[in-house]
Amino acid sequence: MTTPPEPVTGERRHLVNLAYRLLGSLAEAEDAVQEAYARWYALSRPQREAISSPGAWLTTVASRICLDLLGSARVRRERYVGEWIPEPVPDHAEGAGGDPADRITLDESVSMAFLVALEAMTPAQRVALVLHDVFRYSFAEVAEITGRTPAACRELASAARRRIRTARPSATPAAHQAGLVRTFKQAWQAADIDALIGLLDPDATFTADGGGLVQAALEPINGAEAIARYLTDLAVRGGGSMTLVERAVNGWPGLVIRRGEEISAVYAFDVADGRVTHIWAVRNPQKLRRWTGG
């Protein structure tokens, strides 16, 4: 007779979704969730049976693990070569497989703009905001998870909201952004500097992440003309080996850059008032494994 799976196995997708939003890295999120499950199975059977809500227990443990990881991540990212960008995730239908339980629910809270804004927060602010505003936990529940008072958690979330007011997910409809990205792709393929400048906001910013493993701009590039010239130079140097493919990146229209048969970069865009305001180019191969099947 086959033993039915424990109810806690059904919590995995929720936990991975939570941990990804907290950490900005799917690989780290999966490790955090694995650690939470390891702690659950390290309990004796009587201890597990005494827990009235295993899902809540796992959420608490996973959140605390993420809080600890966020503290150490700040130190690691100070040593990171170049800019650090959250790990992009593909659309479910386009992904390279993997466990369906690890699929990220693609909504506004995983737009690249939102995830980047979270990076500017303290770990406690980030956890309070994500738990309360995204996953709708009460401040009493957030307090229990974080070991703070409900009033302190409310203030943390409020401070976090003030930080992201200027970095809300794009209000541009996805269909309109898709058309803009398509036009951008065509201008880039044609190495048309003037067309690119016209599609970019004058104060647009381009940020790349190579992680020191591949060549990438080490600092953000600011201004439409500077970005257009940089991208045109990439197209010219790439010659016929560079192919641009329209793909959903974190649920929003983006581009995948191929060189030959290999994916060399994933580009996410933020759009406002009909122009591209920010481009995030992830080139670090460790962050592209979901896209390459590696």
Side-chain angles (χ1 to χ4, degrees):
M1 181 176 177
T2 303
T3 303
E6 288 198 48
V8 292
T9 58
E11 299 291 329
R12 181 174 175 83
R13 185 170 183 182
H14 164 73
L15 296 172
V16 171
N17 271 273
L18 171 63
Y20 173 68
R21 286 160 175 79
L22 291 177
L23 300 172
S25 164
L26 191 50
E28 291 182 359
E30 290 170 341
D31 288 345
V33 171
Q34 190 68 24
E35 174 61 22
Y37 273 105
R39 295 184 188 183
W40 168 261
Y41 288 112
L43 299 174
S44 66
R45 181 174 291 277
Q47 287 175 319
R48 294 202 298 269
E49 291 174 347
I51 295 171
S52 59
S53 176
W57 188 94
L58 283 166
T59 295
T60 297
V61 172
S63 297
R64 290 174 178 170
I65 291 170
C66 290
L67 191 56
D68 290 341
L69 286 173
L70 284 169
S72 60
R74 283 179 169 267
V75 176
R76 293 199 310 275
R77 288 168 195 172
E78 286 175 0
R79 301 193 298 266
Y80 197 80
V81 178
E83 298 291 317
W84 190 94
I85 298 175
E87 179 184 346
V89 293
D91 182 78
H92 304 154
E94 301 176 19
D99 189 338
D102 292 344
R103 288 177 179 169
I104 298 301
T105 301
L106 301 173
D107 58 26
E108 290 182 344
S109 65
V110 291
S111 74
M112 192 60 74
F114 187 75
L115 292 178
V116 169
L118 291 177
E119 285 297 311
M121 301 176 189
T122 67
Q125 287 173 345
R126 184 168 184 164
V127 170
L129 182 79
V130 170
L131 285 172
H132 182 267
D133 286 22
V134 178
F135 288 91
R136 303 303 178 189
Y137 286 89
S138 69
F139 282 120
E141 292 170 312
V142 176
E144 186 175 346
I145 289 171
T146 61
R148 290 171 166 80
T149 66
C153 293
R154 186 176 288 106
E155 178 53 39
L156 285 169
S158 178
R161 288 188 208 105
R162 289 194 293 271
R163 282 178 173 263
I164 63 172
R165 273 189 194 131
T166 59
R168 285 290 181 187
S170 175
T172 303
H176 181 76
Q177 180 163 323
L180 185 60
V181 170
R182 182 172 298 115
T183 304
F184 189 93
K185 179 190 80 167
Q186 292 165 349
W188 189 5
Q189 287 175 321
D192 188 335
I193 290 180
D194 292 335
L196 287 171
I197 291 174
L199 294 166
L200 288 157
D201 184 89
D203 297 320
T205 303
F206 174 95
T207 308
D209 177 349
L213 301 175
V214 295
Q215 187 174 3
L218 295 177
E219 296 181 354
I221 300 171
N222 300 306
E225 184 174 350
I227 295 170
R229 293 192 179 280
Y230 176 81
L231 293 175
T232 300
D233 183 56
L234 285 181
V236 171
R237 285 192 284 116
S241 67
M242 192 172 90
T243 305
L244 311 181
V245 182
E246 295 172 47
R247 292 279 296 272
V249 180
N250 284 50
W252 286 87
L255 293 174
V256 167
I257 316 304
R258 290 183 175 274
R259 291 189 181 275
E261 295 299 315
E262 294 186 357
I263 292 177
S264 64
V266 169
Y267 278 50
F269 295 80
D270 200 26
V271 172
D273 300 323
R275 290 190 174 185
V276 175
T277 57
H278 207 128
I279 302 171
W280 294 277
V282 179
R283 296 211 62 226
N284 184 339
Q286 294 180 344
K287 296 182 179 182
L288 299 179
R289 290 173 180 167
R290 293 280 162 174
W291 300 80
T292 62

